[in-house]
Amino acid sequence: MTALKKTTPGPNLADIQGLIIRGYTHPCSVHLLFKFSSKPADLTSVRHFFKALMPHLQNAEDWGPLKPEMMLNIGLTAGGIAIVRSDLNVYNSNFSTTFKRGPWDVNSAQLSLGDYGDGDPSKWWNNKFANEDVHCIVHAYAMNPGAQDSIVDMITTAAKNSKGTVTELLPLKSKTGRLEQYPLIPSDYIHFKYRDSIDEPDLNDNPAGTDQADLNNFLIGYSTLPNPIPGPLNGPEAVFAKNGCYNAFRVLYQDVVTFDNFLEDQAQQINPKEKDTTVEWIAAKICGRWRQGSPLVLSPDMPEHDTSKSTDFGYEQAVNNDSQGLRCPFAAHTRVANPRDEPVDAAGSTLVPRILRRGMAYGPPLLDDNTDADRGLIGLFLCGDISGQFETLYSWINTNNFSDVFSPDFNTQDPLIANRSADPIGNNIDPTFTIPMANGKNVVLPVPGPKSTGILPQFVVTRGTAYFLLPSISSLKGIAEGHIPK
Ligand code: HEM
C-alpha cells in the first residue's frame, strides 16, 4: 500500500476513491465493463445498480491492519456520465475535449496513442462491442478466489436485476470474457518476465504543492500547476468531478513469443557463446532495469539484490552520471516514461508528466501448449489531465523527440511498447534501438541475421482503451440516491 505523506490537512480522504491513492496489492481483481441504457425512463434502474454497489465502494482512508476481503471502485466515461447525470450536458461542458471525444478519436487522442494495424481502434475489444458502448467500469478486488467470486456475483447480479438497463460487456475471447488478473508468480512480475510496479510517484499531500507528484495535481479541483490543469474547474460539472481523478484504461496484449524469440535471436547474433547472459543484457537495455528490477543506472553490469527495488537515481547526477546513455540507453522504456532529471524540451514544457500505474497481468504465462492464449497487461494509468500527462507520455513513447539527447533528424521509439508504425504527424521514425557502448561501437538492434527484418518487432498491441473519470464517493452516492450534490 502506497503511504501518503501527510503534511497539512488536505483533501478529504473519505470522499476520494481508494484506488487513486493506494496501490492495492490484492491477489485477485476483475475489471468489469458495463453499458447503460440511454432511455431517460431507465435511469431509476441504472441508479439501483449503483446503489447495490455502494456497500463495497472503497474510499482512500486507512483501512487499518486488515485489508478488506473484497472491495470495489467505479469509473465512468463521458458517455456514462451523460446518461447518469444528464443535467450536466457533458458534451457541451468544460470537461476536456480528449475525455469527451474518447481515446479512439483520430484528431485527438490517436495523434499521441498512435494505435495502428492490429491495435487500430476499429478492432478494439475483439470487436465484441463498440468503443462508444463502454459507459462504466467496476474494478473489483478480492483477497482470495472465493471472495472474488462473491464480489463479481454481487456486481453482475446487480446488473441482471436492472431489467436490461445495465449490460455487462465481455471484451476477451476467454471462457468468462472478463478482464481478470492472472496470479503470475512472483506476484509483482508481468509477462515478458520483468518485475513491475517498482517506481510510482510518491504522493505528497501538500495542498499547495507544485510538484507533479503531489496529490493535488492528480485530484480534480486542487491543481497548483499552470499545466496540466486537472479539470473541469467551472460549473456544475466541476462540482461533480471534484475529488475525482482520470483513469486512462488500456488493455495491452503482450506478444511473449515474439519478444522471447527476438531476445534469443539477437543474443545469438551478438554473443552466441554467452547467449543466456546476453538475452538478459538486451532485456535490461530495452527496459532500463534488469528483469529482477535493478536500474541500469545503479547496477550497469549485473542485477544486484540491493538495488532491485531502488527508485532514488537520476540520469544527470554527479554520481552515476549517465548523460551518454552508456548505462541506460536513452530510448529504454523507463528512461522515456520517466526521464527524471534529464533535460526535457517538448513543446516548451520542461515538466516530466507523471502518472500513477495501477495495472496487473491478465492471461496465463506462456507454456509450450498455450502459445495462442491472450495475455498482457490490464493498464490503469491514473492522472489529473489525460492529455497533459498520459497522452503526452504516450507521444514520447511513440516518438522520442522530447529531449536533445535524441537526434533531431531521426525519432527513435521506446523499444518495448511503442506502436512501430505510429507516425501520425509525419515524423521520421527510426525503427531501430541503439545501445550506446563505451568503446564507441554502438549496438544497433535488430542486428542483421537470418531472422531479422531490420525493424524492431511489435511486442505490444492495444486491445482496447477507455477514458474514465473515477468520481468522488459523494458524486457516486449522489447517482445511487438520485440527488445532485451541491
Ligand atoms: C505491456 C506494456 C508495458 C510493459 C510490459 C511495461 C513494463 C514496465 C517495466 C518492467 C517497468 C519497470 C518497473 C518499474 O519501474 O515499476 C516499467 C516502468 C514504467 N512504465 Fe511501463 N510497461 C508497459 C506499459 C506502460 C505504459 C503504456 C506506460 C505509460 C503510458 C508506462 C509507463 C511506465 C512508467 C512511468 C514507469 C516508471 C518509470 C520510472 O519511474 O523510472 N508503461 N514499465
Side-chain angles (χ1 to χ4, degrees):
M1 171 166 118
T2 315
L4 186 63
K5 282 195 267 169
K6 270 253 177 218
T7 48
T8 49
N12 175 8
L13 297 184
D15 195 37
I16 298 170
Q17 295 205 60
L19 183 58
I20 301 167
I21 287 178
R22 310 196 190 294
Y24 299 156
T25 51
H26 286 63
C28 306
S29 71
V30 187
H31 307 265
L32 301 106
L33 302 175
F34 293 97
K35 177 183 178 175
F36 299 148
S37 160
S38 56
K39 288 188 205 147
D42 291 338
L43 188 55
T44 306
S45 298
V46 177
R47 285 195 174 126
H48 284 152
F49 169 72
F50 278 81
K51 201 165 185 175
L53 270 42
M54 289 303 109
H56 291 288
L57 183 64
Q58 183 65 40
N59 69 26
E61 287 183 306
D62 194 349
W63 54 47
L66 280 185
K67 278 187 202 174
E69 194 184 21
M70 53 179 123
M71 59 192 210
L72 58 83
N73 284 126
I74 301 173
L76 290 167
T77 59
I81 299 171
I83 292 171
V84 296
R85 285 293 306 270
S86 52
D87 58 297
L88 291 180
N89 200 3
V90 171
Y91 291 107
N92 290 319
S93 73
N94 54 14
F95 271 105
S96 72
T97 307
T98 196
F99 180 64
K100 287 187 282 198
R101 287 188 180 166
W104 54 85
D105 188 86
V106 287
N107 297 313
S108 174
Q110 281 300 315
L111 293 176
S112 310
L113 304 181
D115 297 305
Y116 284 84
D118 288 348
D120 189 278
S122 64
K123 298 178 185 164
W124 285 357
W125 314 117
N126 288 306
N127 283 123
K128 292 175 83 180
F129 47 85
N131 295 325
E132 293 84 349
D133 285 350
V134 182
H135 292 146
C136 174
I137 190 163
V138 181
H139 305 282
Y141 296 84
M143 289 304 288
N144 52 65
Q148 173 177 310
D149 288 349
S150 297
I151 192 152
V152 169
D153 187 52
M154 185 280 290
I155 298 163
T156 51
T157 302
K160 282 179 200 139
N161 289 344
S162 75
K163 302 178 200 134
T165 61
V166 178
T167 311
E168 187 182 359
L169 305 171
L170 300 168
L172 296 191
K173 290 180 184 162
S174 62
K175 206 166 144 198
T176 68
R178 294 192 182 112
L179 288 161
E180 287 164 330
Q181 173 176 348
Y182 192 96
L184 292 181
I185 300 171
S187 61
D188 49 355
Y189 278 58
I190 51 173
H191 297 294
F192 295 167
K193 301 190 192 78
Y194 290 104
R195 186 195 293 271
D196 197 12
S197 306
I198 302 170
D199 211 346
E200 289 288 344
D202 200 0
L203 290 178
N204 191 346
D205 184 14
N206 176 1
T210 51
D211 190 310
Q212 286 244 358
D214 288 327
L215 174 62
N216 50 309
N217 295 316
F218 281 96
L219 284 182
I220 297 165
Y222 298 89
S223 179
T224 51
L225 290 175
N227 182 28
I229 302 173
L233 299 177
N234 304 305
E237 61 271 22
V239 178
F240 176 74
K242 186 159 181 171
N243 281 341
C245 174
Y246 292 103
N247 174 10
F249 181 77
R250 201 148 157 90
V251 180
L252 297 168
Y253 167 74
Q254 290 177 250
D255 188 341
V256 183
V257 175
T258 299
F259 189 67
D260 286 354
N261 288 348
F262 177 78
L263 294 179
E264 291 275 325
D265 173 54
Q266 294 295 293
Q268 177 69 27
Q269 303 303 322
I270 295 169
N271 190 353
K273 287 192 183 142
E274 293 177 35
K275 196 167 143 193
D276 291 350
T277 324
T278 310
V279 161
E280 292 310 313
W281 180 79
I282 298 170
K285 292 288 185 182
I286 285 177
C287 179
R289 286 183 182 267
W290 295 93
R291 274 169 149 169
Q292 52 63 277
S294 294
L296 286 173
V297 169
L298 301 182
S299 301
D301 301 321
M302 67 181 80
E304 293 173 301
H305 179 71
D306 287 355
T307 59
S308 64
K309 292 188 179 174
S310 295
T311 56
D312 189 9
F313 62 92
Y315 297 105
E316 299 282 328
Q317 298 185 346
V319 181
N320 297 325
N321 180 288
D322 195 30
S323 52
Q324 313 269 315
L326 295 174
R327 292 166 179 244
C328 178
F330 299 119
H333 174 60
T334 52
R335 191 161 182 169
V336 168
N338 182 9
R340 297 169 187 259
D341 57 343
E342 191 169 284
V344 163
D345 180 23
S349 169
T350 51
L351 291 175
V352 171
R354 301 306 310 276
I355 49 171
L356 298 166
R357 292 174 298 139
R358 303 277 187 248
M360 65 285 299
Y362 77 90
L366 177 67
L367 300 171
D368 288 344
D369 63 353
N370 71 0
T371 50
D372 290 344
D374 194 0
R375 56 177 65 82
L377 188 82
I378 303 172
L380 284 70
F381 301 101
L382 273 48
C383 54
D385 179 338
I386 296 174
S387 170
Q389 292 172 307
F390 175 72
E391 289 181 358
T392 298
L393 213 50
Y394 233 99
S395 71
W396 292 9
I397 284 166
N398 281 330
T399 312
N400 301 159
N401 59 1
F402 57 90
S403 168
D404 287 345
V405 301
F406 298 103
S407 154
D409 301 326
F410 276 99
N411 294 310
T412 49
Q413 295 193 305
D414 176 328
L416 188 66
I417 70 163
N419 282 308
R420 297 287 166 239
S421 52
D423 195 6
I425 46 175
N427 288 319
N428 204 0
I429 294 290
D430 178 348
T432 62
F433 171 53
T434 298
I435 304 175
M437 302 293 286
N439 62 6
K441 293 181 184 163
N442 296 348
V443 175
V444 179
L445 301 184
V447 293
K451 295 182 190 164
S452 165
T453 58
I455 294 176
L456 285 169
Q458 182 81 46
F459 300 126
V460 171
V461 179
T462 310
R463 288 280 194 249
T465 308
Y467 288 162
F468 294 101
L469 172 74
L470 290 162
S472 65
I473 302 282
S474 52
S475 288
L476 289 168
K477 284 187 176 160
I479 295 167
E481 300 300 334
H483 51 70
I484 301 172
K486 299 277 182 233

